[in-house]
Amino acid sequence: MRLTKTLSVLGLLAGAIFFALSLTPSLIPRSASMQGLLSGTAFTFGYGFGLFVHWLWNYLEIPDIPVNRWQRDMLKRGALIFCICLILTFLWQGAHWQNSVRSLMGMAPVSGVGPLTVGVVALLTFLAFWLMGKGFRRIIREVTCRLEKYIPERVALLTGLLVALILYWSIFNGVLLNAGLHTIAVIYEGFDTAVAEGLPPPKDPDKTGGFKSLLSWDSVGHQGRRFLTLGPTEEDIKEIAGHGIEPIRVYVGLNAAENSVQRAYLALAELKRVEAFKREILLIATPTGSGWIDPGAVNSLEYLYRGDVATVAAQYSYLPSPVALLTDDKYGLTSARALFKVIYEYWEDLPRDTRPRLYLFGISLGAQLSEDSFDFYDIIDDPLDGALWAGPPFGSGIWRVITDNRDPGSPAWLPQFKGGEVVRFGNQYGGYLGREPWGRFRIAFLQHASDPIVFFDLRWMFRKPDWLERPRGPDVSPNLQWFPVVTMLQLLVDLNVGIAPLEFGHRYSPAGYILAWMALTEPPDWDEEELKRLRQKLKTYPVR
């Protein structure tokens, strides 16, 4: 029996190696079910790689080494034993690797990675991919068999491949994706319009959503109602800071007007009605896809300025950010640009000595849209005061340029750029935000070294990330290693950020925002004891 008859064993060997490597640590801890999904996907990639090598061996007509039946059977058994031992060894080591991440994040250790759950989920994941592969191959064969009677065999094979690709793309991208997105949209639209208990309209008729407001309570949506209701009151601020006033918040819901430009002008009219331009700070906050604004960011700024802050936001979607990227990405950008343009042009015409200082804020998708909401050439004559962008996703625009061109010697997870004259980076430990004098126009990026949404990139499939070089971020496991394909799959699974505790991964804490706002805006008259009380107070507010 020829060796090429047994080369399918390579699929098993490569799959087992990929499976084992997927158990090594990445940026955040993984649950057993997510680990099973990752390991099953990694095994599929490895198995496919082995089959590709098998095909390439035959296609190149490389001479085979003759083996007898007994040798072939022993080769299969040896490969199977090796795969089982490899997987069991890495499963046993998996708890140690997961705990190396959990300990950095202050999480309780686990005694195991749930091998049964991992195995079952991995098997189901592989079977799903295997069945799809069988169907794909079946389509190619059927088309090829029907056409090779009339056209050359290789042309028929290529045609069959194209037909299979088009059919699968149409099914997954056209039918299944659209149906899934429609279902999600219906669910979240209903959720957005529902009025949760405990969120009644404001009693003060002058507040946004009140009797005198230009925005009805129903029109601001679920996230808008939470944003307008759950912030600090004048009494809360006086409790911590000794004195203060009621902060101003304006939120324009998706249903408040027909398009983003109308919503922007409605926001401006509401800001003028509540005299927001008489405040010390005016903050334009860009929400995430669902309309959510991180309360820790806005609450902390309002406390630091003792309520002398006005915040405005406009909703552009009610879908989660990943779904919004697939469906409403252009609407988010249009909304962010319209809101900034309308407010900036009004603010620009105000007397410079009496107008508020203007800042931008966004987290995740909101950070990306906030980055793209203005052109530097449009504000160069009269720039805004600054921007705070937390957890910018997937190396978005400005972030990517700055990180790729960082000062020599600074790490990719906390870069310095041109000595920090304009742009600075910080994290939950402080970073470079408070170092040396800062210019008038300031941009601050708040990012955790363990945030997969910031550092995920398809390039890591075949290239080692710069942020894995030494020294590493203090919240990144020293056991994290780069493996081609596998590391990229691990980071893809890490985008499921629910298991990371506050201050790690993509979950930004009020304490981190305090550090950023202190450096960015320099609020007066705060000592360390008062800041300590403020950090404790902010922990009492809901984080979502």
Side-chain angles (χ1 to χ4, degrees):
M1 185 65 61
R2 298 161 66 86
L3 182 59
T4 52
K5 297 296 183 180
T6 65
L7 277 177
S8 60
V9 173
L10 285 177
L12 182 63
L13 288 170
I17 292 172
F18 276 46
F19 184 103
L21 294 178
S22 73
L23 292 161
T24 60
S26 53
L27 288 179
I28 61 174
R30 296 186 289 267
S31 64
S33 57
M34 292 304 296
Q35 181 63 64
L37 179 64
L38 168 61
S39 297
T41 304
F43 185 91
T44 302
F45 271 75
Y47 191 80
F49 174 74
L51 292 181
F52 172 75
V53 172
H54 185 182
W55 171 84
L56 186 63
W57 184 286
N58 287 330
Y59 182 81
L60 297 177
E61 299 180 353
I62 299 176
D64 299 323
I65 302 175
V67 294
N68 58 37
R69 183 174 181 179
W70 180 85
Q71 291 172 321
R72 181 196 63 188
D73 291 342
M74 290 301 296
L75 180 62
K76 286 183 176 180
R77 291 172 185 173
L80 182 61
I81 292 173
F82 170 80
C83 293
I84 292 174
C85 292
L86 179 68
I87 289 174
L88 290 178
T89 300
F90 274 67
L91 279 172
W92 176 78
Q93 185 72 6
H96 167 72
W97 286 325
Q98 288 298 302
N99 287 334
S100 73
V101 182
R102 298 175 71 92
S103 64
L104 292 174
M105 299 183 176
M107 300 174 68
V110 294
S111 57
V113 294
L116 180 61
T117 301
V118 172
V120 171
V121 175
L123 178 61
L124 292 176
T125 301
F126 172 71
L127 287 177
F129 280 112
W130 182 76
L131 289 174
M132 287 189 289
K134 290 278 287 184
F136 190 84
R137 192 174 180 182
R138 178 74 176 270
I139 294 171
I140 294 176
R141 285 181 174 177
E142 289 291 331
V143 174
T144 302
C145 289
R146 293 177 183 274
L147 294 180
E148 64 183 359
K149 300 175 184 178
Y150 311 102
I151 59 178
E153 180 181 353
R154 292 195 176 185
V155 176
L157 179 61
L158 179 60
T159 304
L161 176 61
L162 291 174
V163 170
L165 286 172
I166 293 172
L167 184 59
Y168 265 55
W169 176 260
S170 299
I171 292 174
F172 287 99
N173 188 57
V175 179
L176 295 182
L177 181 61
N178 287 340
L181 292 177
H182 176 72
T183 302
I184 293 172
V186 170
I187 293 173
Y188 277 89
E189 184 178 12
F191 182 68
D192 185 68
T193 56
V195 179
E197 293 184 9
L199 297 177
K203 295 180 180 179
D204 185 346
D206 291 318
K207 284 189 173 183
T208 297
F211 176 72
K212 296 181 180 180
S213 174
L214 302 176
L215 300 161
S216 70
W217 193 240
D218 291 335
S219 72
V220 298
H222 173 74
Q223 293 293 353
R225 288 186 283 272
R226 291 182 60 83
F227 175 72
L228 296 172
T229 303
L230 302 180
T233 63
E234 181 179 345
E235 291 71 23
D236 294 330
I237 293 172
K238 288 179 178 179
E239 175 189 344
I240 300 299
H243 62 90
I245 58 177
E246 190 85 11
I248 292 174
R249 293 189 177 190
V250 172
Y251 191 100
V252 183
L254 189 62
N255 297 318
E258 293 184 0
N259 58 59
S260 58
V261 175
Q262 291 177 356
R263 287 191 289 271
Y265 279 107
L266 192 55
L268 176 61
E270 182 74 357
L271 286 172
K272 290 191 288 186
R273 186 189 68 82
V274 296
E275 299 184 336
F277 292 96
K278 294 182 179 180
R279 293 299 172 101
E280 171 70 17
I281 300 289
L282 175 60
L283 180 67
I284 302 177
T286 304
T288 62
S290 64
W292 177 73
I293 298 171
D294 194 336
V298 181
N299 292 350
S300 56
L301 182 64
E302 290 173 339
Y303 271 103
L304 289 172
Y305 279 87
R306 296 170 172 83
D308 201 8
V309 176
T311 304
V312 60
Q315 185 182 19
Y316 55 88
S317 171
Y318 39 73
L319 301 175
S321 291
V323 182
L325 280 171
L326 293 173
T327 58
D328 294 332
D329 55 335
K330 62 179 183 296
Y331 300 114
L333 182 56
T334 301
S335 175
R337 287 179 173 173
L339 184 64
F340 175 82
K341 183 177 185 294
V342 168
I343 293 177
Y344 174 79
E345 288 179 350
Y346 180 83
W347 172 84
E348 185 183 26
D349 292 334
L350 296 175
R352 295 194 180 194
D353 57 344
T354 59
R355 71 188 184 187
R357 287 190 283 160
L358 179 61
Y359 291 91
L360 306 183
F361 169 75
I363 181 174
S364 195
L365 178 58
Q368 177 181 322
L369 296 175
S370 183
E371 282 186 36
D372 296 334
S373 66
F374 68 97
D375 192 313
F376 282 103
Y377 294 104
D378 294 333
I379 66 169
I380 194 168
D381 292 331
D382 192 6
L384 61 145
D385 292 88
L388 172 58
W389 294 317
F394 314 137
S396 51
I398 299 173
W399 183 95
R400 170 67 61 81
V401 172
I402 292 172
T403 301
D404 289 347
N405 295 278
R406 64 188 180 275
D407 294 344
S410 64
W413 52 271
L414 193 63
Q416 292 189 68
F417 181 72
K418 296 187 181 300
E421 296 177 2
V422 176
V423 181
R424 296 186 182 181
F425 289 76
N427 54 27
Q428 66 271 50
Y429 307 105
Y432 300 126
L433 291 175
R435 298 186 179 183
E436 302 176 356
W438 207 344
R440 178 184 175 276
F441 176 56
R442 306 174 177 184
I443 294 177
F445 285 99
L446 184 62
Q447 60 188 43
H448 300 153
S450 56
D451 188 343
I453 289 182
V454 172
F455 294 108
F456 175 81
D457 196 312
L458 291 175
R459 294 180 298 173
W460 310 149
M461 178 175 284
F462 300 112
R463 172 183 164 186
K464 182 179 179 180
D466 294 342
W467 45 265
L468 277 181
E469 301 295 341
R470 310 286 179 177
R472 292 185 178 179
D475 47 337
V476 175
S477 170
N479 294 319
L480 197 164
Q481 302 295 326
W482 176 76
F483 304 103
V485 180
V486 175
T487 298
M488 191 276 294
L489 293 176
Q490 289 177 319
L491 295 175
L492 190 62
V493 171
D494 283 347
L495 298 182
N496 174 54
V497 296
I499 197 171
L502 202 61
E503 293 194 337
F504 299 96
H506 199 58
R507 302 188 64 195
Y508 291 84
S509 70
Y513 284 122
I514 289 175
L515 290 172
W517 288 126
M518 288 288 292
L520 190 68
T521 68
E522 299 182 0
D525 304 326
W526 283 91
D527 58 36
E528 187 53 41
E529 185 61 32
E530 291 173 321
L531 290 174
K532 182 179 179 180
R533 292 202 307 270
L534 175 56
R535 285 190 285 268
Q536 291 300 318
K537 179 66 175 180
L538 289 172
K539 290 180 180 180
T540 65
Y541 290 89
V543 296
R544 294 295 299 183

